[in-house]
Amino acid sequence: MKILSIETSCDETAVALLDITGPLEKPEIKVLGNTLLSQVPLHEQYGGVFPMLAKREHEKNLPVLLEQTLKQAGSEDVDFIAVTAGPGLEPALWAGITFAEELGKKWQKPVIPTNHMTGHIWSVLYGTDAPLALPALALLVSGGHTELVLVKDFGDYRILGATLDDAVGEAFDKVARMLGLHYPGGPKISLMAGKSRERKAELDFKFPRPMLNSGNLNFSYSGLKTAVLYKLKADGREDEEYKEDIARAFEDAAVEVLVEKTRKALADEEGDVKTLIVGGGVASNKHLSAELEKMIGDFPAVTLRMPERSLATDNALMIGIAAYVQVSKDPSLLDGKAKILARGNLSL
Ligand code: KG4
Ligand code: ZN
């Protein structure tokens, strides 16, 4: 199936053309074209993403990326178009949807709405020959989401726990801002934390692990962020090593909660889960992947699947793969003429 996929839910404009065939456990994914334009440099100056500004940029970038993608592919031959309909920033989502629908009309091809979070889940189908075993537990960690999802089958998702306030990526970004680092701060915090670990610095403080012992699978990251703020105010220090230690103590706390809740979810499912999928921007955090690898050692029957680095953060490739899953499970989607709506809070 040849799929043109479009992603505009936040601050990345992305278009891909994929040719996917084969079983869902182990699809063959040929990337015919793949383009992405990040708006990070634009939003950096404001310290976050402004929806209307993002929308305008998506509208400007989409025709350019489409042209580049088709040029890479050397053909306009597609079976259908997939576009992210949510969750995300509604004005940004509309930019992609409107563009996809106009293209669908022009090419006389069906357009199907795809859930961005299913993109993060199925991003792990790319770049490996190993078949994916279900049921899986998915830990989704991004700028907008922190969720543990039970994936019983392709298309069958049940949210087991989620954040009650900030998402983990958002906490990384906010702490980065407190340390004077630009948006998005996740990768920068991670680098600084790594330097503190390399120095083997002895920390004489620890940040709280919110909800670690709450007995459920929910998360909360706003208190951790506030704890960092109070610590910075109390100490009044600005030197680089101090900031690295703060970054590390924050990362230790944020990651420990993710890992321990994931452990609890795996234990709760009593041996049913065969794969642990990790998806979303924070999946590229090295400390998180190292700690998850250690934890998964206690569950010999579970295989850990993380996305390739470039597929952890938002991209169009994952949207195309998720659309392949959708259409394989329900081919009638391809004759759907339903109007696609942007849904900022779309759930799995
Ligand atoms: O999945 P994504 O690209 O966008 C959303 O759907 O939200 O995730 C972006 C988030 C940002 O908050 C960014 O700071 C965080 O992922 N992030 C990281 C790292 N790389 C990206 N957080 C921690 N460590 C990283 N290495
Ligand atoms: Zn995302």
mmCIF file of all heavy atoms in Angstrom, residues 116 120 142 314 318, ligand 2:
data_model
loop_
_atom_site.group_PDB
_atom_site.id
_atom_site.type_symbol
_atom_site.label_atom_id
_atom_site.label_comp_id
_atom_site.label_asym_id
_atom_site.label_seq_id
_atom_site.Cartn_x
_atom_site.Cartn_y
_atom_site.Cartn_z
ATOM 1 N N HIS A 116 -2.319 10.625 16.494
ATOM 2 C CA HIS A 116 -0.886 10.873 16.674
ATOM 3 C C HIS A 116 -0.237 9.871 17.647
ATOM 4 O O HIS A 116 0.896 9.421 17.421
ATOM 5 C CB HIS A 116 -0.719 12.306 17.207
ATOM 6 C CG HIS A 116 0.683 12.737 17.429
ATOM 7 N ND1 HIS A 116 1.465 13.266 16.421
ATOM 8 C CD2 HIS A 116 1.463 12.735 18.543
ATOM 9 C CE1 HIS A 116 2.660 13.556 16.918
ATOM 10 N NE2 HIS A 116 2.685 13.247 18.197
ATOM 11 N N HIS A 120 3.090 7.199 17.596
ATOM 12 C CA HIS A 120 4.210 6.961 18.527
ATOM 13 C C HIS A 120 4.313 5.475 18.881
ATOM 14 O O HIS A 120 5.408 4.937 19.010
ATOM 15 C CB HIS A 120 4.055 7.808 19.787
ATOM 16 C CG HIS A 120 4.493 9.238 19.595
ATOM 17 N ND1 HIS A 120 5.741 9.568 19.122
ATOM 18 C CD2 HIS A 120 3.842 10.417 19.794
ATOM 19 C CE1 HIS A 120 5.850 10.889 19.060
ATOM 20 N NE2 HIS A 120 4.719 11.428 19.451
ATOM 21 N N SER A 142 5.906 12.105 25.831
ATOM 22 C CA SER A 142 6.190 13.181 24.880
ATOM 23 C C SER A 142 5.982 14.528 25.555
ATOM 24 O O SER A 142 5.869 14.614 26.780
ATOM 25 C CB SER A 142 5.264 13.037 23.674
ATOM 26 O OG SER A 142 3.951 13.358 24.051
ATOM 27 N N ASP A 314 8.383 13.778 16.838
ATOM 28 C CA ASP A 314 7.328 13.780 15.820
ATOM 29 C C ASP A 314 7.872 13.689 14.391
ATOM 30 O O ASP A 314 8.873 14.319 14.063
ATOM 31 C CB ASP A 314 6.483 15.046 15.976
ATOM 32 C CG ASP A 314 5.705 15.023 17.276
ATOM 33 O OD1 ASP A 314 5.655 13.955 17.907
ATOM 34 O OD2 ASP A 314 5.152 16.067 17.638
ATOM 35 N N MET A 318 5.886 7.746 11.121
ATOM 36 C CA MET A 318 5.099 6.986 12.102
ATOM 37 C C MET A 318 3.601 7.113 11.826
ATOM 38 O O MET A 318 2.837 6.190 12.118
ATOM 39 C CB MET A 318 5.431 7.443 13.536
ATOM 40 C CG MET A 318 4.954 8.854 13.874
ATOM 41 S SD MET A 318 5.380 9.281 15.585
ATOM 42 C CE MET A 318 4.317 10.720 15.848
HETATM 43 ZN ZN ZN B 2 4.380 13.409 19.459
#
